[in-house]
Amino acid sequence: MSDRKTRLAVILITTLFFLWGFALNLNPILIPHLKKACQLSDLQSALIDSASYIAYFLIALPAGLLMKRFGYKAGITLGLILFAFGTFLFYPAAELRMFSFFLVALFIIASGLTLLETAANPYITVLGDPETATQRLNFAQSFNGLAAFLAPLMGGTFILSGINLSEQQQQAMSSEALNAYLAKEAASVEVPFLVIGIVVLLVAIVLWRTPLPDIADDEGPAEQVEGSILGEKNLVLGVIAQFFYVGAQVCISSFFIRFSDRVAGIDEKDAALYLSVSLLAFMVGRFFGTYLMRYVSPPRLLAIYGVINVNLLLVAVLTNGMVPVYALIGVEFFMSIMFPTIFALSIRGLGAKTKIGSSLVIMAIVGGAVFPVIMGRVSDMTTIQTAYIVPALCFLVVVYFAIKNSAVRNVTLAASH
């Protein structure tokens, strides 16, 4: 490929990092929005995350097999088509105001994102000089962080109305007025998601028409794989830690807007701005934490950050006013290095088992489908503030994993989510 074509390919693959980051980080906007429009409990609204993250568990391995059979370019194109199709389904789902329809649309979107995420990391590393592969990967991942910052900012502007009627106010309305209010709330997702779908389709068309290199599955010399992968105790512990970590990460963001409203009286539009700031803190924390690892061993930094987050969440649960909101922003900052650090520590020293080990750690993302539902149930039984004890307990598992790896001095961070 010429340098010009290579640059275009890098731009297109980097766009994928932005697109899946943007889509996933709209969930914290959709959770309070659809809770209101479809009259849901906290547990029911948490199924929005479940519909998204269960796709990573169910589709990840088939995605890998599909790309091995038909190539990464075909897999990426299919992923973009599924992504766009899912966004277009938001229109009929909103017209019908049917929550199950929204969940189907979100699962289809996430299935497309799984294909994109499966392909993007290896693809970006082969587009150019092998010696600068890590820099290209880090550059592309920074756009994932940018998308995480922009998604709640734009979602809060174009989707959230800022109108929250109490149960008593809704009961005082006529059925016609209430239905009109709920229909208007549901319809606010139609245009934004149609626009997203059109943009995604345009990217798919440009990418399909752009020459891209094939990724050769260079297995290298055959290595003897001895023993079951489940015999790798540190890997198993790492999969568990990643399961709990992703669960905590999704919990923090997903209920942030509702938490800010209930605890600090911040309306949903302003809360979306605070959420955007917290996700910016996550991105900044990733760069800062990576820099700190030059001086502090990754397991030790992981343990320190985990302990800090447990304490910040206790502050969020036990205090009032703006302090709990600031505490959650701090949690976003300190959990930023956790996914790549757990990933790197989990697969360290696996040798011939590295690929299957990596797949298991990635599949642990399904924690994002499980813990928000648990947190939603706790919230329905108590309060949204008390429910934040759930991610605090998750971080204790991360701390335990870090302590068990305390002898490790250095790892290379090459994955993010």
Side-chain angles (χ1 to χ4, degrees), residues 91 97 122 138-139 169 176 215 228 244 275 291 295 332 341 388:
Y91 191 94
R97 205 161 56 82
N138 289 335
F139 174 76
Q169 288 174 311
E176 293 81 5
I215 298 180
S228 168
F244 277 85
L275 175 60
Y291 172 77
Y295 310 101
E332 289 281 356
T341 306
Y388 268 85

Side-chain angles (χ1 to χ4, degrees), residues 348-370:
R348 188 183 62 86
L350 288 181
K353 300 177 182 178
T354 298
K355 284 190 175 180
I356 184 64
S358 298
S359 298
L360 291 175
V361 181
I362 292 296
M363 288 177 72
I365 289 174
V366 74
V370 175

Side-chain angles (χ1 to χ4, degrees), residues 243-253 335 367 371 390-392 394-395:
F243 177 78
F244 277 85
Y245 163 69
V246 176
Q249 178 188 1
V250 177
C251 284
I252 299 299
S253 300
M335 72 181 178
F371 285 99
V390 173
C394 290
F395 284 122

Side-chain angles (χ1 to χ4, degrees), residues 85-101:
F85 179 59
T87 61
F88 292 147
L89 288 180
F90 264 63
Y91 191 94
E95 288 294 307
L96 295 170
R97 205 161 56 82
M98 186 180 296
F99 184 55
S100 59
F101 206 153

Side-chain angles (χ1 to χ4, degrees), residues 180-250:
Y181 161 71
L182 296 175
K184 184 178 179 180
E185 287 290 337
S188 68
V189 300
E190 294 175 355
V191 172
F193 275 81
L194 284 175
V195 171
I196 293 170
I198 292 169
V199 170
V200 171
L201 275 185
L202 290 175
V203 173
I205 293 169
V206 173
L207 190 142
W208 182 250
R209 295 175 60 86
T210 302
L212 293 175
D214 292 325
I215 298 180
D217 287 327
D218 183 14
E219 300 293 342
E223 295 183 71
Q224 185 69 29
V225 178
E226 298 181 359
S228 168
I229 190 68
L230 298 180
E232 302 292 339
K233 294 182 180 180
N234 189 64
L235 171 66
V236 173
L237 185 57
V239 169
I240 294 170
Q242 198 73 290
F243 177 78
F244 277 85
Y245 163 69
V246 176
Q249 178 188 1
V250 177

Side-chain angles (χ1 to χ4, degrees), residues 165-177:
L165 300 182
S166 67
E167 189 174 336
Q168 291 75 16
Q169 288 174 311
Q170 292 185 38
Q171 290 174 350
M173 298 170 71
S174 67
S175 59
E176 293 81 5

Side-chain angles (χ1 to χ4, degrees), residues 284-293 296 298-312 330-338 341 395 398-399 402:
V284 172
R286 174 72 56 83
F287 290 113
F288 183 70
T290 303
Y291 172 77
L292 278 183
M293 285 184 190
V296 183
R300 185 175 184 182
L301 191 64
L302 182 63
I304 292 171
Y305 275 20
V307 171
I308 290 173
N309 275 351
V310 171
N311 283 282
L312 283 173
V331 172
E332 289 281 356
F333 179 89
F334 287 109
M335 72 181 178
S336 56
I337 55 100
M338 290 186 175
T341 306
F395 284 122
V398 174
V399 172

Side-chain angles (χ1 to χ4, degrees), residues 127-150:
L127 293 174
D129 187 347
E131 293 185 0
T132 58
T134 301
Q135 289 93 317
R136 285 196 303 279
L137 181 60
N138 289 335
F139 174 76
Q141 288 175 349
S142 69
F143 280 83
N144 190 268
L146 177 63
F149 165 68
L150 291 176

